[in-house]
Amino acid sequence: MKTLMRTTAWLALLFAGLAGAQASWYVQTIIPEVVSVRTPTTTIGFALDLTNYPPPSFPARYPATVPEGGVLPVQVFVNEPGVWSLLLEIPDLFDENGQRLIPARQILYRVNDGPWIRGSGAPQEFYTDVGATNGWRELRIEFALELLGNEPPGEYAVNVVVSAIREP
């Protein structure tokens, strides 16, 4: 019985010491800086058939037929102050044998009905702003294909890459 009482007293002292010990931690909510971009997963398509090719003269521009209306919606969300930019990369078009059919400079784009800009095959800054967007901001990128006369009719498709950068 004495042993049981000593063990109980010993355990009570041990747990009392643990119960008396307190620790405090600094709790902080961390929301990381975000520049997020959303675009539909789609290919930019151009249809050239006997109804619209060959044109009366060259060079000739053909609006994109895919996505619907030839417009790629791009949404961006930024939650921090500072300068940020959106980039667009348009690659050259190649055939199934790896031969270049159309260089990127023959694919044009414009943002929100602005001036037409030629693709370059490298990332191109197409939109820059400062500060948070206060929700998702949508931009419309429209595409056109310029043909010079040596391209065959058919359907052309290109996968473009939209990315974002933020200046420190």
Side-chain angles (χ1 to χ4, degrees):
M1 186 71 157
K2 283 185 180 184
T3 307
L4 178 61
M5 289 178 70
R6 273 191 222 154
T7 305
T8 304
W10 177 253
L11 286 174
L13 281 173
L14 179 67
F15 286 121
L18 289 177
Q22 294 183 2
S24 60
W25 292 275
Y26 179 69
V27 178
Q28 176 182 4
T29 303
I30 299 174
I31 300 173
E33 293 180 18
V34 173
V35 177
S36 186
V37 177
R38 295 191 301 203
T39 61
T41 303
T42 187
T43 298
I44 309 303
F46 305 92
L48 286 77
D49 57 33
L50 296 177
T51 62
N52 62 2
Y53 189 89
S57 65
F58 288 98
R61 279 195 190 169
Y62 290 85
T65 54
V66 175
E68 185 177 333
V71 175
L72 180 69
V74 175
Q75 295 179 330
V76 62
F77 175 84
V78 180
N79 71 349
E80 285 287 322
V83 178
W84 53 272
S85 299
L86 297 176
L87 306 169
L88 178 67
E89 184 174 354
I90 302 171
D92 294 336
L93 279 91
F94 292 89
D95 67 12
E96 60 277 353
N97 298 324
Q99 299 295 314
R100 185 168 76 172
L101 289 174
I102 298 176
R105 69 178 175 275
Q106 286 181 241
I107 300 172
L108 297 99
Y109 68 94
R110 66 180 180 176
V111 180
N112 294 341
D113 296 319
W116 288 99
I117 302 166
R118 291 191 177 279
S120 70
Q124 295 173 274
E125 194 173 295
F126 72 89
Y127 188 84
T128 299
D129 206 343
V130 177
T133 57
N134 297 320
W136 289 95
R137 180 176 302 165
E138 185 166 293
L139 305 167
R140 298 169 19 98
I141 305 177
E142 189 177 353
F143 294 89
L145 176 64
E146 183 179 72
L147 299 183
L148 304 177
N150 54 351
E151 304 87 357
E155 292 194 12
Y156 292 91
V158 63
N159 290 317
V160 300
V161 176
V162 177
S163 58
I165 58 171
R166 188 174 170 299
E167 292 183 19

